[in-house]
Amino acid sequence: MLKTIGVLTSGGDAPGMNAAIRAVVRTGCESGMRVMGIRRGYRGLLDGDMFEMNLRSVSDIIHRGGTMLYSARCPEFADPEMVQKAVDVCHEFGLEGIVTIGGDGTFRGARDLTLRGIQCIGLPGTIDNDIASCDYTIGYDTALNTIMEMVDRIRDTTESHDRCSVVEVMGRNAGYLALNAGIAVGATCILIPEVDYDIDSYIIERMRRTQKTGKQHFIIIVAEGVRGIDSKSLARYIQEKTGVESRATVLGHVQRGGSPSVRDRVLASQMGHYAVELLKQDIGNRVVVNHKDQIVDYDIIEALNMKKTIDLELYRVANDISI
Ligand code: F6P
């Protein structure tokens, strides 16, 4: 069994990261390990910014969004010299393994450290759900619920004024948030990066057709990753073409915060516990993910090479029923 392990969160924060940290710390401490909390992801690791945690260090965090360990993006970690520097820091602090929580960039850092002898386990923490090996990432469910609540509010005012609201949601280069939130809010149109569009035939004609059936207000969800479309210009174009007064809302970072949902808390707790169970058996270089409602682990390199495609059947359903 490893004697000293660390835990860090890296990349964009996601609701549920705290629940994962709590599970790692509690499982580690209860197994007799020394657990170090590393602040600000790989940046903090390079700076040796870490502290010893105990059972009580993670009290009262399960319901909080964000990450008590703070997070940072650390592009310089792609440099092998930086990775070696981090390995030296690990040796200095006696760290033999690290649970790294974040997205694909975080997993690449974990892979590089493992190749140099530090046993790393990656946990998927991102609201984008864009990790190929994983069905549901930590934070995705909460972000979906946040988007749904926000757009429900936007719908109230959109309906009152017979308007069209174009709502831009996060997701980086992927449309998972847009597609699933779009269905949940009954959006007339959903634009995702995985599908090509002709704005006139998809949005304008669809709006005109539904207007004829008596529909007077419209919600259009746009994923931020859709190239060549900005939500403000799209709202202007819709107004020009249809005569329906239109407004654009970019939801922004509100989607990343807030108290994690039940699903994210449970998922994060299971994954954090599972990660330490692997380290207890001296197993590293794995990612812990959920697949078909089971928590499983894969080799990090294999996981990074996996591909995931969006459910186009779900997209078809969304379009069929939002008329
Ligand atoms: O990966 C999470 C995410 O919120 C993306 O949806 C978004 O594109 C990006 O991070 C925003 O990053 P930042 O907070 O660094 O602007």
Side-chain angles (χ1 to χ4, degrees):
M1 187 173 86
L2 305 189
K3 289 195 191 70
T4 304
I5 62 168
V7 55
L8 62 80
T9 47
S10 158
D13 62 347
M17 279 183 163
N18 277 328
I21 295 167
R22 174 178 176 271
V24 169
V25 172
R26 295 251 167 104
T27 312
C29 290
E30 283 294 86
S31 311
M33 290 168 153
R34 191 168 159 246
V35 185
M36 304 295 286
I38 302 162
R39 295 190 188 90
R40 298 184 177 81
Y42 293 114
R43 191 173 299 282
L45 180 61
L46 287 168
D47 294 341
D49 186 3
M50 61 184 88
F51 61 102
E52 186 167 346
M53 301 182 84
N54 60 38
L55 295 176
R56 297 280 69 80
S57 323
V58 288
S59 295
D60 298 322
I61 62 165
I62 195 164
H63 60 302
R64 292 190 201 283
T67 158
M68 70 164 289
L69 291 176
Y70 305 94
S71 192
R73 302 192 193 276
C74 185
E76 62 267 36
F77 211 70
D79 175 353
E81 273 185 30
M82 289 294 127
V83 179
Q84 188 51 50
K85 187 175 171 209
V87 170
D88 295 342
V89 173
C90 289
H91 291 155
E92 190 188 321
F93 285 86
L95 282 184
E96 299 160 306
I98 306 179
V99 180
T100 66
I101 309 168
D104 274 346
T106 308
F107 290 177
R108 280 191 287 274
R111 171 202 61 196
D112 295 344
L113 286 170
T114 306
L115 290 173
R116 285 174 167 77
I118 308 297
Q119 301 281 46
C120 289
I121 306 288
L123 299 190
T126 165
I127 62 165
D128 302 331
N129 201 34
D130 59 350
I131 294 181
S133 53
C134 185
D135 292 349
Y136 272 83
T137 55
I138 297 166
Y140 175 55
D141 184 64
T142 307
L144 279 177
N145 281 293
T146 303
I147 297 171
M148 185 181 72
E149 277 170 33
M150 296 295 133
V151 180
D152 284 350
R153 288 167 192 236
I154 291 173
R155 176 183 280 278
D156 290 343
T157 167
T158 305
E159 183 183 3
S160 305
H161 289 267
D162 291 334
R163 279 180 176 164
C164 170
S165 284
V166 176
V167 184
E168 183 179 313
V169 302
M170 281 186 167
R172 203 175 286 277
N173 298 314
Y176 300 102
L177 281 173
L179 174 55
N180 285 277
I183 291 185
V185 301
T188 302
C189 298
I190 305 169
L191 277 71
I192 53 175
E194 294 83 352
V195 174
D196 291 331
Y197 300 95
D198 176 72
I199 298 292
D200 286 322
S201 59
Y202 182 51
I203 301 184
I204 307 299
E205 279 174 30
R206 206 174 159 78
M207 281 177 65
R208 286 197 181 122
R209 191 152 67 86
T210 54
Q211 269 176 320
K212 287 192 190 124
T213 66
K215 189 164 176 166
Q216 305 298 344
H217 62 280
F218 306 87
I219 303 284
I220 313 285
I221 299 287
V222 185
E224 65 173 351
V226 175
R227 299 263 168 265
I229 292 180
D230 89 274
S231 38
K232 281 222 167 74
S233 319
L234 180 59
R236 259 198 310 272
Y237 185 74
I238 290 171
Q239 184 162 323
E240 259 167 48
K241 286 280 183 172
T242 62
V244 178
E245 204 182 354
S246 301
R247 295 283 187 273
T249 305
V250 178
L251 283 187
H253 286 79
V254 70
Q255 297 162 92
R256 283 239 297 262
S259 182
S261 66
V262 171
R263 183 170 193 162
D264 279 332
R265 293 183 200 195
V266 173
L267 188 68
S269 301
Q270 285 178 295
M271 287 178 169
H273 182 269
Y274 192 115
V276 178
E277 291 292 322
L278 289 175
L279 290 177
K280 274 166 70 178
Q281 300 165 62
D282 285 349
I283 298 172
N285 199 34
R286 310 294 289 175
V287 291
V288 175
V289 296
N290 74 330
H291 183 58
K292 298 193 172 149
D293 283 335
Q294 297 290 318
I295 306 291
V296 294
D297 59 290
Y298 299 128
D299 178 89
I300 295 187
I301 296 169
E302 275 173 30
L304 282 170
N305 287 329
M306 288 180 184
K307 298 268 174 283
K308 161 158 117 173
T309 49
I310 204 149
D311 186 351
L312 289 176
E313 179 55 20
L314 189 60
Y315 188 67
R316 196 175 69 81
V317 170
N319 284 317
D320 279 355
I321 62 179
S322 63
I323 286 295

